[in-house]
Amino acid sequence: MRTVIQRVAKASVTIGGEVKSKIGKGYLILVGIEEADTAEDVGWLVRKIVGLRVFDDEAGVMNRSIMDVGGDIIAVSQFTLFASYKKGNRPSWLRAARHEISVPLYELFCSRLGEAMGKPIGTGEFGADMKVELLNDGPVTICMDTKGKE
């Protein structure tokens, strides 16, 4: 699994002109899933994300987690994170998992992240044409890939 985690002052997801999810301070997380990903990858990512210390403490040092600051999360499925661009200029999506793998893993990721946070997280809609809006805070953007966890 591959994620792009953006610390935000606010973020929202709109589908068909209707706001599906909206948060203030927290993370907007783009989530890409490939064929080899498993529930173990989900667990590792959730632990890393809730423990990630990128919010400022009293001294202005990035030393606080999303749990420490009471932040919120929106997680958006993003198959394009596995684009292959080695040949030509039109990306290939062959590394992105098929729906029968990616949908359950995305839903598991969202569920486990909500459990770890102790509150629901915002989502997009898998496969929908989404308009994602954010105000990146910092900017702080962290990329995590479960294939590099060891």
Side-chain angles (χ1 to χ4, degrees):
M1 291 178 75
R2 184 173 289 165
T3 59
V4 176
I5 303 157
Q6 297 175 90
R7 186 180 77 179
V8 297
K10 63 181 179 177
S12 65
V13 177
T14 303
I15 303 168
E18 299 289 323
V19 175
K20 169 108 168 66
S21 299
K22 184 176 183 178
I23 63 168
K25 181 180 195 169
Y27 294 146
L28 171 71
I29 303 174
L30 304 177
V31 183
I33 299 167
E34 65 179 326
E35 295 283 328
D37 291 330
T38 67
E40 181 182 318
D41 294 309
V42 169
W44 184 85
L45 270 176
V46 168
R47 286 188 301 278
K48 292 300 277 187
I49 289 167
V50 298
L52 189 62
R53 298 183 333 185
V54 296
F55 291 92
D56 291 348
D57 63 15
E58 305 76 29
V61 176
M62 284 195 280
N63 201 28
R64 299 183 80 198
S65 73
I66 193 157
M67 301 292 286
D68 296 332
V69 300
D72 293 310
I73 294 176
I74 294 177
V76 177
S77 62
Q78 186 77 35
F79 77 93
T80 60
L81 290 179
F82 282 104
S84 175
Y85 42 83
K86 292 184 181 188
K87 293 182 180 178
N89 292 320
R90 185 172 182 270
S92 165
W93 317 116
L94 292 175
R95 285 192 57 202
R98 295 168 285 131
H99 277 53
E100 54 269 19
I101 293 170
S102 54
V103 172
L105 281 176
Y106 169 71
E107 290 173 353
L108 181 64
F109 174 77
C110 293
S111 172
R112 292 227 181 126
L113 195 51
E115 288 169 11
M117 294 287 294
K119 58 185 171 183
I121 65 162
T123 62
E125 183 179 310
F126 198 91
D129 180 19
M130 297 175 273
K131 305 303 178 209
V132 179
E133 198 169 3
L134 70 130
L135 179 58
N136 195 315
D137 181 17
V140 174
T141 302
I142 308 279
C143 298
M144 287 188 189
D145 192 319
T146 58
K147 301 309 176 257
K149 65 185 173 190
E150 299 184 20

